PDB file of all heavy atoms in Angstrom:
ATOM      1  N   GLN N  18      64.204  95.786 148.216  1.00 90.00           N
ATOM      2  CA  GLN N  18      62.994  96.613 148.208  1.00 90.00           C
ATOM      3  C   GLN N  18      63.118  97.773 147.215  1.00 90.00           C
ATOM      4  O   GLN N  18      62.179  98.062 146.471  1.00 90.00           O
ATOM      5  CB  GLN N  18      62.727  97.151 149.617  1.00 90.00           C
ATOM      6  CG  GLN N  18      61.337  97.670 149.820  1.00 90.00           C
ATOM      7  CD  GLN N  18      60.281  96.573 149.720  1.00 90.00           C
ATOM      8  OE1 GLN N  18      60.534  95.425 150.031  1.00 90.00           O
ATOM      9  NE2 GLN N  18      59.113  96.928 149.247  1.00 90.00           N
ATOM     10  N   ALA N  19      64.287  98.407 147.188  1.00 93.00           N
ATOM     11  CA  ALA N  19      64.492  99.522 146.258  1.00 93.00           C
ATOM     12  C   ALA N  19      64.437  99.044 144.814  1.00 93.00           C
ATOM     13  O   ALA N  19      63.824  99.693 143.950  1.00 93.00           O
ATOM     14  CB  ALA N  19      65.825 100.201 146.548  1.00 93.00           C
ATOM     15  N   LYS N  20      65.076  97.907 144.531  1.00 93.00           N
ATOM     16  CA  LYS N  20      65.069  97.353 143.174  1.00 93.00           C
ATOM     17  C   LYS N  20      63.651  96.952 142.771  1.00 93.00           C
ATOM     18  O   LYS N  20      63.216  97.207 141.643  1.00 93.00           O
ATOM     19  CB  LYS N  20      65.994  96.140 143.110  1.00 93.00           C
ATOM     20  CG  LYS N  20      66.017  95.431 141.796  1.00 93.00           C
ATOM     21  CD  LYS N  20      67.227  95.771 141.037  1.00 93.00           C
ATOM     22  CE  LYS N  20      67.297  94.881 139.815  1.00 93.00           C
ATOM     23  NZ  LYS N  20      67.616  95.606 138.644  1.00 93.00           N
ATOM     24  N   ASN N  21      62.917  96.323 143.709  1.00 92.00           N
ATOM     25  CA  ASN N  21      61.550  95.902 143.432  1.00 92.00           C
ATOM     26  C   ASN N  21      60.654  97.118 143.160  1.00 92.00           C
ATOM     27  O   ASN N  21      59.839  97.109 142.231  1.00 92.00           O
ATOM     28  CB  ASN N  21      61.014  95.088 144.606  1.00 92.00           C
ATOM     29  CG  ASN N  21      59.755  94.335 144.254  1.00 92.00           C
ATOM     30  OD1 ASN N  21      59.422  94.175 143.084  1.00 92.00           O
ATOM     31  ND2 ASN N  21      59.056  93.873 145.269  1.00 92.00           N
ATOM     32  N   ASN N  22      60.811  98.162 143.940  1.00 94.00           N
ATOM     33  CA  ASN N  22      60.029  99.389 143.723  1.00 94.00           C
ATOM     34  C   ASN N  22      60.347 100.017 142.369  1.00 94.00           C
ATOM     35  O   ASN N  22      59.450 100.482 141.662  1.00 94.00           O
ATOM     36  CB  ASN N  22      60.281 100.390 144.847  1.00 94.00           C
ATOM     37  CG  ASN N  22      59.640  99.963 146.147  1.00 94.00           C
ATOM     38  OD1 ASN N  22      58.746  99.126 146.170  1.00 94.00           O
ATOM     39  ND2 ASN N  22      60.113 100.524 147.243  1.00 94.00           N
ATOM     40  N   ALA N  23      61.623 100.042 142.008  1.00 96.00           N
ATOM     41  CA  ALA N  23      62.014 100.610 140.711  1.00 96.00           C
ATOM     42  C   ALA N  23      61.438  99.784 139.562  1.00 96.00           C
ATOM     43  O   ALA N  23      60.925 100.348 138.585  1.00 96.00           O
ATOM     44  CB  ALA N  23      63.540 100.678 140.606  1.00 96.00           C
ATOM     45  N   ASN N  24      61.501  98.443 139.681  1.00 96.00           N
ATOM     46  CA  ASN N  24      60.924  97.584 138.631  1.00 96.00           C
ATOM     47  C   ASN N  24      59.419  97.774 138.528  1.00 96.00           C
ATOM     48  O   ASN N  24      58.862  97.772 137.424  1.00 96.00           O
ATOM     49  CB  ASN N  24      61.248  96.113 138.912  1.00 96.00           C
ATOM     50  CG  ASN N  24      62.679  95.768 138.623  1.00 96.00           C
ATOM     51  OD1 ASN N  24      63.379  96.480 137.916  1.00 96.00           O
ATOM     52  ND2 ASN N  24      63.145  94.664 139.183  1.00 96.00           N
ATOM     53  N   THR N  25      58.752  97.927 139.655  1.00 96.00           N
ATOM     54  CA  THR N  25      57.301  98.139 139.659  1.00 96.00           C
ATOM     55  C   THR N  25      56.943  99.457 138.979  1.00 96.00           C
ATOM     56  O   THR N  25      56.019  99.522 138.165  1.00 96.00           O
ATOM     57  CB  THR N  25      56.753  98.117 141.100  1.00 96.00           C
ATOM     58  OG1 THR N  25      57.087  96.860 141.695  1.00 96.00           O
ATOM     59  CG2 THR N  25      55.251  98.309 141.128  1.00 96.00           C
ATOM     60  N   ARG N  26      57.689 100.513 139.292  1.00 97.00           N
ATOM     61  CA  ARG N  26      57.433 101.815 138.659  1.00 97.00           C
ATOM     62  C   ARG N  26      57.674 101.747 137.152  1.00 97.00           C
ATOM     63  O   ARG N  26      56.886 102.283 136.363  1.00 97.00           O
ATOM     64  CB  ARG N  26      58.303 102.902 139.287  1.00 97.00           C
ATOM     65  CG  ARG N  26      57.784 103.448 140.593  1.00 97.00           C
ATOM     66  CD  ARG N  26      58.539 104.695 141.009  1.00 97.00           C
ATOM     67  NE  ARG N  26      59.972 104.476 141.144  1.00 97.00           N
ATOM     68  CZ  ARG N  26      60.576 104.011 142.249  1.00 97.00           C
ATOM     69  NH1 ARG N  26      59.854 103.749 143.317  1.00 97.00           N
ATOM     70  NH2 ARG N  26      61.874 103.842 142.282  1.00 97.00           N
ATOM     71  N   THR N  27      58.742 101.080 136.750  1.00 97.00           N
ATOM     72  CA  THR N  27      59.036 100.958 135.320  1.00 97.00           C
ATOM     73  C   THR N  27      57.930 100.202 134.603  1.00 97.00           C
ATOM     74  O   THR N  27      57.463 100.626 133.529  1.00 97.00           O
ATOM     75  CB  THR N  27      60.386 100.246 135.115  1.00 97.00           C
ATOM     76  OG1 THR N  27      61.404 100.993 135.769  1.00 97.00           O
ATOM     77  CG2 THR N  27      60.715 100.092 133.651  1.00 97.00           C
ATOM     78  N   LEU N  28      57.490  99.090 135.197  1.00 97.00           N
ATOM     79  CA  LEU N  28      56.406  98.313 134.586  1.00 97.00           C
ATOM     80  C   LEU N  28      55.124  99.133 134.524  1.00 97.00           C
ATOM     81  O   LEU N  28      54.428  99.141 133.502  1.00 97.00           O
ATOM     82  CB  LEU N  28      56.170  97.023 135.372  1.00 97.00           C
ATOM     83  CG  LEU N  28      55.040  96.131 134.855  1.00 97.00           C
ATOM     84  CD1 LEU N  28      55.287  95.709 133.416  1.00 97.00           C
ATOM     85  CD2 LEU N  28      54.886  94.908 135.755  1.00 97.00           C
ATOM     86  N   ARG N  29      54.797  99.856 135.597  1.00 98.00           N
ATOM     87  CA  ARG N  29      53.599 100.708 135.607  1.00 98.00           C
ATOM     88  C   ARG N  29      53.679 101.760 134.500  1.00 98.00           C
ATOM     89  O   ARG N  29      52.711 101.986 133.767  1.00 98.00           O
ATOM     90  CB  ARG N  29      53.456 101.392 136.963  1.00 98.00           C
ATOM     91  CG  ARG N  29      52.251 102.327 137.043  1.00 98.00           C
ATOM     92  CD  ARG N  29      52.368 103.349 138.121  1.00 98.00           C
ATOM     93  NE  ARG N  29      53.537 104.177 137.863  1.00 98.00           N
ATOM     94  CZ  ARG N  29      54.224 104.810 138.798  1.00 98.00           C
ATOM     95  NH1 ARG N  29      53.894 104.693 140.052  1.00 98.00           N
ATOM     96  NH2 ARG N  29      55.276 105.544 138.488  1.00 98.00           N
ATOM     97  N   ASN N  30      54.831 102.402 134.352  1.00 98.00           N
ATOM     98  CA  ASN N  30      54.977 103.448 133.342  1.00 98.00           C
ATOM     99  C   ASN N  30      54.815 102.897 131.924  1.00 98.00           C
ATOM    100  O   ASN N  30      54.110 103.484 131.100  1.00 98.00           O
ATOM    101  CB  ASN N  30      56.318 104.146 133.494  1.00 98.00           C
ATOM    102  CG  ASN N  30      56.408 104.939 134.783  1.00 98.00           C
ATOM    103  OD1 ASN N  30      55.400 105.266 135.400  1.00 98.00           O
ATOM    104  ND2 ASN N  30      57.622 105.228 135.215  1.00 98.00           N
ATOM    105  N   TRP N  31      55.468 101.768 131.637  1.00 98.00           N
ATOM    106  CA  TRP N  31      55.356 101.194 130.291  1.00 98.00           C
ATOM    107  C   TRP N  31      53.958 100.676 130.017  1.00 98.00           C
ATOM    108  O   TRP N  31      53.460 100.783 128.888  1.00 98.00           O
ATOM    109  CB  TRP N  31      56.399 100.100 130.076  1.00 98.00           C
ATOM    110  CG  TRP N  31      57.730 100.684 129.738  1.00 98.00           C
ATOM    111  CD1 TRP N  31      58.844 100.713 130.522  1.00 98.00           C
ATOM    112  CD2 TRP N  31      58.089 101.371 128.533  1.00 98.00           C
ATOM    113  NE1 TRP N  31      59.860 101.370 129.877  1.00 98.00           N
ATOM    114  CE2 TRP N  31      59.424 101.778 128.657  1.00 98.00           C
ATOM    115  CE3 TRP N  31      57.408 101.686 127.371  1.00 98.00           C
ATOM    116  CZ2 TRP N  31      60.085 102.484 127.646  1.00 98.00           C
ATOM    117  CZ3 TRP N  31      58.063 102.386 126.360  1.00 98.00           C
ATOM    118  CH2 TRP N  31      59.383 102.770 126.510  1.00 98.00           C
TER     119      TRP N  31
END
Side-chain angles (χ1 to χ4, degrees):
Q18 197 66 30
K20 177 103 172 134
N21 194 16
N22 288 342
N24 286 342
T25 302
R26 280 191 302 275
T27 301
L28 179 59
R29 178 201 61 207
N30 293 341
W31 279 109

